[in-house]
Amino acid sequence: MNSLHKWLTGKVCNAMLIIICILYISPLMITITNSFMRQEEIMRNYSTSGDIFHEEPQFVNIRLIPEIISLQQYFTILIKTPMYLTAFWNSIAITLPIVAGQLIVSSMCAYAFCVLHFKGKEILFFIYIIVMLLPLQVTLMPNYIVADALNMTNSYLAIILPGIFNPFGVFIIRQYMESIPKSYLESAKMDGAGHLAIFIKIVLPNAKPGLAAAALLTFIDYWNIIDQAVIFIQDSYRQPLSLFIAGINKQQMGVSFASSTFYVLPVLVILFYCQDYLKEGIQLSGIKG
Amino acid sequence: MKSVKKKNGLPVFMLIFSVLGFGLFYLFPFLFSLIYALTDNPLHFNFVGIDNFIALLQNKYFMNGLKNTVTFLAIAVPLNMCLSLMAALMINGRKYTRYFSLVFLIPLVIPSATTAFFWSKFFDLNGSLNKILHIFGVEKIEWIQSKYAMGVMIFIFLWKNIGYNMALFIGGLNNIPESYYECADIEGARLLQKFQKITLVYLTPSFFLTLIMTFVNSFKIFKEIYLLTGEYPTENIYVLQHFMNNMFLALNYPKLTSAVYILTIVVVFFIAGVFKIERKISDNISVY
Amino acid sequence: MKKLILVLITVAMILSGCGADNTTGITPESIVNPKADSLEEAPPGTEEPIREAYVQPEMKGEISISLLEEASFITAGAELFMKKYPDIKININVFRELKTIELEGGAEMSAAPEEGFTTDNYLTYLGTQIMSGKADDIILTSMLSMRDYIKMGAFEDLSYYLESTPEINEENYYINVIEAFRRNGGLYEMPLSFSMWVIYFDRQLVEASGIAPDKELKSIRYSEAMELAKQMVDATDLPNTYLELGTGKPESMLIMEDIDQFINMETGQFDFNVPAFTNILKQAKSLRQNGYYDTGTIDFYNMEYHFGLGTDFDSQAAIFSLLPDSSYYMAMPQCDANGDALFYAYLTLGINSGSENKEIAWEFIKFLLSEEAQVNPSMYNIGINKAALEPMAQRQMGMKTIELGFTLQDCVALLEGWAEQANSTFMERDISNIIYEEIDRYYSGSVTEEEIAKAINNKVDKCLNE
C-alpha cells in the first residue's frame, strides 16, 4: 500500500486536491463572509439588473471581504427574530431521536440479515433496497394517511418514526457487517457466546465505520428535511430550521447568508468529530478467540 | 426445529421488529401507491387497469424525461463512483485526512436554497463563470438554457455527492484488514496487483452500497435542479423528476405513480443484476 | 426475480381491489360527483343525477377553512357567522401566519420568518391533504391552478347551490363577476370581492396636446391608451413627458389583454410564436429605447414631470378623478380585445369535494356574500354584493385627509358604472406566471423576441399536455 500512498500524496495530486478543495469550500466561505456584509452591499454585489437600456449588463460581483464588517444580519436572526433559535432546537429535537433510533433499529436488523439464513432473505433485502429508491413525492401521501390513521399528525412522531425505520441505515450497516470475517463470529460461537454477546462485543465495535456512515448520512438527510415538515407540522413555532432556510428572500439576502451560516456551522462541528469513526478499521487483535 | 428457533430467537425478533416498521412506513406506502397507478382518480378509485401506463408510454414529455434521466444516470453515476473512489484513496491515510474529508462533506450540509442560489449566480448569463470566460473573450452563454445544461446538472450533482460516496468508501477502505496487505507484501505483490486483488475485491460491498446510494441521491439532487431551472426547463434537462413533481403539484397521482412504477421496473432489473454479481463476489470473500 | 414481481403485483391487485370496493361502499351517493372525472368529454348537466331541492341544513357543527395567509375579511365574517349561529364553529387554518411579538413601547416585529412558508410549500401541503381526503371544508382558491384541481375532482361544483339560492341575483349581486368564473359550465370557485385596474390620462398633457380619448368611451384597451399617450407626448413641448411611469411592464399588460389571441383554453390550442406576439415585445422595446419611459432620472420632488397615462386601482382612481382640480383625465376600466372590462379577484373560495359539511360550508360562503358580512370594514375591494359598494367608498373617502369637494353619491355612481362592466379575468394562473417569467427574462438578457415566444410555447405545452 505504501507506494500507492506515495503516488497519491505526490505533488500533482496535492495540487489537484487543493484546487478541488477551493471549489468545495468557496460556497461556504462566501456564505460566511457575506453574512457579515450589510444588506446594501449584498444587493449591489448580486444584482445583475442590466436592463434594456444598458447595452452592457453588469456581472455578478462575488466578493469575499466585506467593505464594512457588520453584525446587522446576526442581530436580525438571533435577537430580532427569536424564531430562528427555537427552530434550531426543533431541528435537534427531530434529528437526534431519528439518528439514535435509526442506529439501534438498523444495526439490529442488519445483524439479523447477517446471521439468519432463511428462504427469501435476499428477496426481502432486495425489497428494502427498491423501496429506498422511491422518490419522496410518491410516498408523502400514503405516509400522511398512515400518520393520520395513527393520530400522529402535527407531532414530531410523524417524522421521527418513519425516520427510524428508514431502510437506508439497514442497507449501509449490513454492507459493513458483511465484511467482518465470518471466522470471528464462528469462533465466538464456539466459545459459547450468545447472539447478544456477539452482537454487542464483536459485531458492533467492528461495524463502527458503517454505524458512523449511517449516523452521519441520516443526520444530514433529516437536518435538511423540508417536505415532511411542511406536511406533518402545522404549528409554525415547531417547524425545523431547514424550513426557514429553504427560501432565499431577495429583499433579505443578507439575512439568508447569516441564517445559512448559523444552520451549517453546528453540523460541520458534528461531522468533524463523527467522521473519525469512519476510519476505524476492523480490530483484528481486539478479539480473542 | 425448536432448538433453531430458540438459538436464533434474538435475531429473529430484531428482524421482525424492523420489518414491521419498514412495512408500515415504507412498504405499505409503496404498495398503496400502486392503487393510484391502476385507478383513474385518487378521490374516486375507478379501476382502469394499465391504461395509465399505456398513456404514459405515449406521453412525449414522459418519454423525453425518461430518456434524459437515463442519460443523466449513465453519465453521472459511473463518474461519481470513479471520482469518489479516487477522492477516498487520495485522502485516506493522509496527514490531514479529517480536514480534507470534511471539505468534501460541506456541500451536503449547505441548504438546497443556498446551493441553488450560489450556482445560479455562477452559471447566470451575467454570472461568475461568464465573467471569467469574458476575460478570455468568450461570448456570454446562458448556461442553464443552453445545450450545456445537462453538463451543468451533472457537475452540480457530482459536486454535491462525491463527499457522500467518499465517506462510504473511506469506511470501506478502512474495513479491509491491514494484514491482507501485509500478507501480499510478504508475497511480493505489486502495487497494481494489490489494488486489483485486495482493494477492489474487498471494496465490493462498498461499491454496491455507493452505487445504490448514488441512485437514491440522484433523486434528491432534484431539489437544487428544480430551484435552478424551474418547473419547465428546456427539453434537454427535463428529467423524470420534473415530470413527477409537476404531476404531484397537479394532484395527478395516477400519472405520478405509474411514472414511478415504470422507473422502478427499469431500476429493479438493473439493480437485480448488480445485486447478483455483488452476492457472488462477497460469498467468495467470506470464504477467506 | 420474476416470482417477486408477480407476488408484488398480486398483492397490489388485491389491495387495489379492496380499496376500490371500500371507497365506493363508504362514500354516500351524494358525495360522488361523476362529472368531475369526465369534465372534458360531456357538458355537465346532461347526465347529472337530479338532485333534490336544497334545504338549509341544521345549523350546527364545525367547518374549517384553509388559507395561505390571513384574510381579515374572512376572519371577521367567521366571527359574525358564529355569533349568528352559536352552534357552529369555524376553524380558520392559516398556513403563513404572520405572528408578531409586541415589543416594549408598542412596536411590533415578526416572530416567524416568512421564508419557510412559501406558496410552493403550501401547495405541497394542500395537495397532500386534499388527496388523502383530510383537507379543510373550504379552501381559498385564488393561488391554485384550478384547472388541475378540477380535473382531479377536488372541488365541488357550486352551480347546484347557486341555483338553489334565489337571493343571489342580478339585482343585488355582481353576477357578471361570478359567472366569469365558470369553466365548462361548472362553477368551482366563488369570488367574494374583486378589484379593477383603471386607466386615466394626464389632464395637463391632454390640454396641452389637444389629443383626448373619445368622450363616449366606457372602457379602454391598454394598447389604445398607450397609443394615445404616445401621441400626447409627441405633440407637446412640456418638459419631462413620458408615456407612463416605468415601474410596471407594459409588455405584460399588452399580452394579457390580447391573451385570447394566443391561447384558447377551451380547445387547448395556443401559439405564441406569431408576429402579433413578437411585435408587442418589439414595439414596447422600441418605445423604451426611444425615451418614452423614465430611466430613473426624474427627481420627483423638484421637477415638473408628466406621464401620459397611469393605472390605479378602482376606489382610489374614482376618488382622485372626482377631485375638482384632478390631474386624472377620463379614468375608465381597462378592457380586453373584446371590450370586456378586466377584473381581478383575490378572495375566491371553493368547497372541497371530499368535505362532509358541504351544506354548512355553502351556508358560510353565502353568508360571506350577504350584505351583513360584505359591509364589514375589512372589505377593501368592490364586494360581490352591490350593497357593499357604498360603505366601502365611504370608508375610502374618509381615509383621505384632504377636502374632497364631491359627494359620496358621485363616487358610488362612478364606481358602480365601472363594476357593472367587470366581465373578464384570465384564470390560468400558471400560464400567466410563465408569461411574466419570460418577460422578466426578456428584460434581463440579450434574448430575442422569437426566443421568448418559443420558450413560452414550450412551457405552455408542457403545462397543458404533460
Side-chain angles (χ1 to χ4, degrees):
Chain A
M1 209 54 188
N2 285 333
S3 40
L4 185 62
H5 273 164
K6 236 175 231 161
W7 183 77
L8 284 167
T9 48
K11 271 188 184 136
V12 183
C13 272
N14 272 345
M16 252 167 64
L17 202 58
I18 286 167
I19 292 172
I20 296 170
C21 283
I22 291 172
L23 194 66
Y24 271 80
I25 298 180
S26 49
L28 183 68
M29 287 316 283
I30 290 166
T31 310
I32 294 175
T33 56
N34 285 12
S35 69
F36 291 104
M37 285 181 188
R38 288 160 308 132
Q39 176 69 17
E40 305 87 74
E41 191 182 347
I42 291 171
M43 294 295 276
R44 183 151 29 88
N45 288 348
Y46 287 97
S47 107
T48 52
S49 61
D51 44 42
I52 280 173
F53 316 112
H54 303 101
E55 288 301 311
E56 283 283 312
Q58 64 184 109
F59 283 112
V60 171
N61 184 18
I62 295 178
R63 292 168 62 100
L64 266 181
I65 300 158
E67 282 169 359
I68 301 169
I69 291 179
S70 134
L71 290 174
Q72 181 194 335
Q73 318 298 355
Y74 286 98
F75 178 73
T76 310
I77 64 160
L78 295 177
I79 295 161
K80 256 170 84 184
T81 328
M83 195 65 204
Y84 280 102
L85 276 177
T86 323
F88 179 79
W89 292 113
N90 290 344
S91 270
I92 298 224
I94 293 172
T95 318
L96 284 192
I98 291 181
V99 173
Q102 161 96 125
L103 283 187
I104 295 168
V105 172
S106 304
S107 59
M108 288 187 344
C109 181
Y111 177 72
F113 267 120
C114 281
V115 296
L116 288 181
H117 295 282
F118 57 92
K119 217 180 158 199
K121 179 176 97 163
E122 293 307 320
I123 290 184
L124 182 63
F125 191 59
F126 190 71
I127 294 176
Y128 264 67
I129 295 172
I130 295 300
V131 168
M132 197 170 70
L133 286 169
L134 288 185
L136 192 68
Q137 287 100 338
V138 194
T139 48
L140 265 183
M141 224 260 275
N143 262 335
Y144 185 83
I145 293 176
V146 171
D148 191 71
L150 298 176
N151 214 356
M152 293 193 306
T153 51
N154 209 6
S155 138
Y156 288 159
L157 275 183
I159 300 172
I160 292 174
L161 281 184
I164 286 175
F165 289 102
N166 198 328
F168 142 94
V170 177
F171 179 53
I172 290 189
I173 297 173
R174 185 192 176 189
Q175 289 307 99
Y176 284 94
M177 282 187 181
E178 288 285 341
S179 57
I180 301 172
K182 288 279 182 287
S183 51
Y184 294 2
L185 308 188
E186 291 302 322
S187 55
K189 225 181 239 173
M190 296 283 191
D191 290 351
H195 276 297
L196 194 64
I198 296 178
F199 179 57
I200 292 175
K201 287 199 180 137
I202 300 174
V203 175
L204 280 190
N206 280 310
K208 260 189 202 163
L211 294 174
L216 205 140
L217 301 178
T218 308
F219 184 86
I220 290 171
D221 272 359
Y222 284 93
W223 187 256
N224 289 330
I225 61 169
I226 291 173
D227 292 301
Q228 291 101 315
V230 166
I231 285 173
F232 293 121
I233 312 293
Q234 270 101 64
D235 184 351
S236 53
Y237 282 110
R238 300 181 64 226
Q239 295 288 9
L241 189 55
S242 44
L243 197 66
F244 298 114
I245 313 287
I248 287 200
N249 189 332
K250 281 231 167 77
Q251 271 68 50
Q252 296 200 306
M253 231 185 261
V255 172
S256 302
F257 284 122
S259 55
S260 295
T261 308
F262 179 61
Y263 175 80
V264 170
L265 285 186
V267 191
L268 280 183
V269 174
I270 294 170
L271 283 190
F272 190 67
Y273 289 102
C274 187
Q275 50 145 345
D276 278 357
Y277 292 100
L278 285 177
K279 282 173 237 49
E280 278 195 24
I282 303 225
Q283 297 134 335
L284 264 181
S285 51
I287 304 145
K288 281 177 188 167
Chain B
M1 195 62 206
K2 208 172 182 185
S3 69
V4 173
K5 244 188 191 165
K6 202 182 165 191
K7 235 171 80 189
N8 285 332
L10 187 69
V12 168
F13 166 75
M14 287 170 164
L15 186 68
I16 289 175
F17 182 64
S18 163
V19 167
L20 280 181
F22 170 74
L24 184 60
F25 295 111
Y26 292 89
L27 195 59
F28 167 74
F30 178 61
L31 294 176
F32 190 86
S33 58
L34 189 60
I35 301 175
Y36 297 135
L38 298 171
T39 52
D40 68 338
N41 183 315
L43 292 172
H44 307 129
F45 297 109
N46 297 321
F47 185 78
V48 293
I50 56 166
D51 284 3
N52 289 325
F53 292 92
I54 295 167
L56 262 191
L57 293 176
Q58 289 163 351
N59 183 322
K60 67 173 172 173
Y61 287 110
F62 174 77
M63 293 313 282
N64 180 24
L66 189 63
K67 192 192 91 197
N68 286 336
T69 305
V70 171
T71 318
F72 176 81
L73 290 178
I75 301 171
V77 172
L79 256 181
N80 188 352
M81 303 277 291
C82 293
L83 292 176
S84 47
L85 178 61
M86 251 173 74
L89 286 170
M90 251 184 187
I91 283 175
N92 201 26
R94 253 172 201 273
K95 216 173 172 185
Y96 299 110
T97 313
R98 53 195 322 214
Y99 298 99
F100 279 118
S101 53
L102 189 68
V103 165
F104 281 96
L105 288 171
I106 286 175
L108 290 172
V109 291
I110 298 183
S112 307
T114 313
T115 310
F117 171 78
F118 182 78
W119 289 119
S120 76
K121 289 294 168 200
F122 188 76
F123 288 112
D124 193 81
L125 183 68
N126 298 312
S128 311
L129 183 60
N130 279 337
K131 190 178 177 181
I132 296 166
L133 291 176
H134 191 74
I135 300 170
F136 299 104
V138 181
E139 276 283 305
K140 287 200 289 188
I141 303 170
E142 202 169 354
W143 293 94
I144 292 162
Q145 305 278 344
S146 72
K147 57 185 173 191
Y148 308 108
M150 182 61 104
V152 171
M153 247 170 92
I154 291 173
F155 174 80
I156 296 175
F157 173 74
L158 292 176
W159 176 80
K160 176 139 184 167
N161 282 300
I162 282 181
Y164 204 97
N165 286 356
M166 190 202 65
L168 296 172
F169 272 131
I170 289 181
L173 280 174
N174 288 297
N175 234 6
I176 303 173
E178 201 55 39
S179 58
Y180 292 173
Y181 289 109
E182 282 158 20
C183 284
D185 277 338
I186 292 165
E187 285 169 20
R190 284 168 170 238
L191 173 67
L192 204 64
Q193 275 178 321
K194 276 194 291 185
F195 184 69
Q196 262 182 353
K197 295 267 162 68
I198 303 173
T199 314
L200 284 187
V201 170
Y202 282 89
L203 270 184
T204 314
S206 304
F207 268 119
F208 185 56
L209 185 65
T210 44
L211 182 69
I212 304 291
M213 291 324 293
T214 315
F215 267 101
V216 173
N217 288 329
S218 68
F219 289 112
K220 282 192 194 143
I221 189 71
F222 178 64
K223 197 106 217 168
E224 280 86 353
I225 304 290
Y226 193 79
L227 288 173
L228 214 55
T229 63
E231 287 165 300
Y232 308 111
T234 53
E235 293 312 74
N236 58 340
I237 48 165
Y238 179 85
V239 288
L240 277 189
Q241 287 92 321
H242 285 108
F243 182 82
M244 294 193 285
N245 204 56
N246 290 344
M247 287 304 115
F248 178 75
L249 289 178
L251 309 189
N252 204 329
Y253 280 76
K255 264 191 189 172
L256 165 66
T257 45
S258 21
V260 170
Y261 273 91
I262 291 179
L263 187 65
T264 310
I265 290 167
V266 175
V267 173
V268 159
F269 282 105
F270 178 73
I271 290 185
V274 182
F275 195 64
K276 275 231 169 91
I277 298 170
E278 194 264 347
R279 285 296 116 177
K280 227 175 230 166
I281 296 175
S282 59
D283 281 351
N284 285 339
I285 295 175
S286 38
V287 170
Y288 284 90
Chain C
M1 225 18 261
K2 272 179 200 159
K3 229 183 192 172
L4 166 71
I5 293 170
L6 209 69
V7 168
L8 278 180
I9 292 177
T10 329
V11 169
M13 291 279 195
I14 294 165
L15 272 176
S16 68
C18 294
D21 286 349
N22 284 345
T23 32
T24 37
I26 293 165
T27 323
E29 211 122 274
S30 62
I31 293 179
V32 178
N33 178 5
K35 284 279 66 64
D37 316 328
S38 51
L39 196 72
E40 262 115 41
E41 289 94 61
T46 47
E47 294 163 42
E48 186 90 20
I50 299 154
R51 294 170 86 164
E52 289 165 29
Y54 178 80
V55 196
Q56 187 177 27
E58 196 188 346
M59 297 305 276
K60 72 195 244 193
E62 210 173 319
I63 55 168
S64 53
I65 304 175
S66 177
L67 302 179
L68 172 64
E69 274 174 348
E70 200 179 327
S72 51
F73 176 70
I74 292 177
T75 315
E79 272 162 24
L80 285 175
F81 191 69
M82 287 193 281
K83 211 179 262 172
K84 194 170 175 189
Y85 304 104
D87 291 337
I88 292 182
K89 190 171 182 303
I90 297 176
N91 299 314
I92 301 178
N93 299 322
V94 178
F95 184 73
R96 190 189 292 157
E97 280 175 281
L98 299 175
K99 282 181 183 159
T100 49
I101 293 176
E102 204 163 306
L103 297 175
E104 280 173 60
E108 280 188 342
M109 65 179 199
S110 73
E114 268 179 53
E115 282 89 340
F117 303 95
T118 58
T119 311
D120 271 355
N121 283 347
Y122 176 65
L123 295 179
T124 306
Y125 166 73
L126 183 68
T128 311
Q129 287 216 319
I130 289 181
M131 287 294 123
S132 56
K134 310 285 174 207
D136 295 324
D137 303 301
I138 299 177
I139 296 162
L140 183 74
T141 58
S142 48
M143 82 305 284
L144 305 181
S145 167
M146 282 300 274
R147 196 182 55 249
D148 297 325
Y149 283 72
I150 294 168
K151 200 161 135 200
M152 282 293 129
F155 284 97
E156 186 74 3
D157 185 357
L158 300 176
S159 312
Y160 161 70
Y161 296 100
L162 194 62
E163 279 155 23
S164 7
T165 314
E167 56 264 41
I168 300 183
N169 54 36
E170 199 80 48
E171 202 175 311
N172 307 319
Y173 290 80
Y174 289 110
I175 296 286
N176 44 335
V177 172
I178 298 179
E179 288 301 317
F181 281 93
R182 260 187 210 284
R183 292 162 188 260
N184 294 319
L187 183 69
Y188 299 93
E189 44 189 335
M190 176 60 80
L192 301 180
S193 63
F194 62 100
S195 56
M196 298 173 83
W197 278 106
V198 173
I199 295 179
Y200 60 86
F201 297 92
D202 185 281
R203 188 178 296 277
Q204 266 179 291
L205 265 184
V206 170
E207 281 160 6
S209 65
I211 294 163
D214 185 356
K215 285 267 179 214
E216 299 300 310
L217 275 181
K218 289 265 179 270
S219 62
I220 192 165
R221 292 185 57 171
Y222 183 77
S223 49
E224 289 165 0
M226 230 168 111
E227 185 52 40
L228 277 171
K230 184 169 174 275
Q231 289 171 15
M232 286 176 202
V233 170
D234 289 342
T236 55
D237 354 294
L238 287 173
N240 302 315
T241 47
Y242 300 99
L243 213 159
E244 192 189 358
L245 188 64
T247 45
K249 294 196 168 88
E251 287 90 339
S252 320
M253 299 275 260
L254 290 170
I255 290 163
M256 292 318 283
E257 81 171 22
D258 253 345
I259 190 82
D260 291 343
Q261 203 182 326
F262 310 118
I263 183 165
N264 181 344
M265 286 314 296
E266 267 160 40
T267 59
Q269 275 169 337
F270 61 90
D271 192 4
F272 288 87
N273 198 6
V274 287
F277 182 86
T278 46
N279 284 344
I280 288 177
L281 295 186
K282 279 178 193 154
Q283 183 201 347
K285 189 177 188 174
S286 83
L287 285 176
R288 290 177 178 286
Q289 282 171 340
N290 292 323
Y292 282 98
Y293 287 84
D294 164 46
T295 53
T297 53
I298 298 180
D299 177 352
F300 285 93
Y301 296 102
N302 304 315
M303 265 161 70
E304 189 192 340
Y305 55 86
H306 297 281
F307 297 111
L309 74 93
T311 47
D312 202 345
F313 75 96
D314 42 46
S315 52
Q316 181 156 303
I319 292 170
F320 281 149
S321 66
L322 286 170
L323 288 173
D325 54 345
S326 169
S327 66
Y328 282 33
Y329 181 82
M330 272 200 78
M332 59 192 140
Q334 189 198 344
C335 68
D336 64 11
N338 307 322
D340 293 331
L342 299 171
F343 70 89
Y344 306 88
Y346 303 105
L347 274 183
T348 50
L349 297 181
I351 298 183
N352 170 11
S353 68
S355 158
E356 284 163 10
N357 305 306
K358 283 180 206 157
E359 279 78 18
I360 293 181
W362 170 251
E363 287 298 326
F364 179 55
I365 292 180
K366 199 167 89 185
F367 178 77
L368 289 176
L369 292 171
S370 70
E371 187 175 343
E372 198 179 343
Q374 294 248 317
V375 297
N376 193 281
S378 54
M379 171 67 87
Y380 299 113
N381 301 323
I382 305 176
I384 290 292
N385 193 315
K386 291 181 179 172
L389 192 64
E390 193 178 311
M392 189 273 287
Q394 194 172 19
R395 275 194 301 279
Q396 296 285 356
M397 281 170 67
M399 273 158 60
K400 304 279 178 258
T401 47
I402 41 171
E403 185 73 33
L404 291 174
F406 61 88
T407 65
L408 176 61
Q409 270 58 45
D410 296 335
C411 185
V412 171
L414 187 61
L415 277 170
E416 260 173 3
W418 293 345
E420 293 288 350
Q421 300 179 47
N423 214 355
S424 161
T425 192
F426 186 67
M427 290 183 289
E428 312 304 327
R429 285 129 192 155
D430 43 355
I431 291 175
S432 42
N433 282 343
I434 289 176
I435 295 170
Y436 297 145
E437 256 171 43
E438 287 301 315
I439 288 174
D440 279 349
R441 196 159 76 89
Y442 180 62
Y443 266 60
S444 72
S446 41
V447 209
T448 66
E449 293 77 22
E450 284 74 20
E451 279 170 336
I452 294 292
K454 257 184 222 159
I456 294 182
N457 264 351
N458 262 330
K459 289 186 175 184
V460 171
D461 188 36
K462 281 197 190 91
C463 186
L464 294 179
N465 303 322
E466 210 171 28

